[in-house]
Amino acid sequence: MSKFNAILAIAAASVLLSGNAFAASLQPAAGEAPFADTVVASSLVQRAEVRADAARHLPAAGELNVTAAPVFESDVSRAEVRAATREAIAHGVRPATGEQA
């Protein structure tokens, strides 16, 4: 009879301790399934239109495929900019720095 009691005690303990496994929600984990109904629609664009659009917008390939942006000369010197920054800091204006800038 003690074998029967031990088996019964082990079975009861396993049922009681496995309560967390049965307490899982009915929703799937993130990324496993869509939560909303998705509508699948076919494209109205024909293959010829897609090819014509791709021919109009060729991808950049090869060397020297774009022109450089124009360089504009500044009217102020580096020393003037540094002096203006020092003056702004002296008046309590701090430049935006760091990750939150």
Side-chain angles (χ1 to χ4, degrees):
M1 200 63 168
S2 65
K3 255 186 187 181
F4 179 73
N5 288 339
I7 292 173
L8 187 63
I10 290 172
S14 64
V15 168
L16 290 175
L17 294 176
S18 65
N20 290 339
F22 295 116
S25 67
L26 298 176
Q27 294 291 331
E32 287 187 359
F35 290 106
D37 293 333
T38 56
V39 178
V40 178
S42 61
S43 177
L44 299 176
V45 182
Q46 298 297 321
R47 184 179 300 227
E49 295 174 25
V50 172
R51 287 186 177 171
D53 186 46
R56 282 192 302 271
H57 302 98
L58 293 175
E63 296 179 14
L64 303 172
N65 55 8
V66 294
T67 58
V71 177
F72 298 105
E73 294 295 325
S74 177
D75 295 335
V76 293
S77 67
R78 183 181 181 113
E80 292 171 341
V81 171
R82 292 179 65 156
T85 304
R86 277 192 229 105
E87 186 177 333
I89 290 173
H91 287 88
V93 178
R94 300 278 182 212
T97 59
E99 293 180 7
Q100 301 295 328

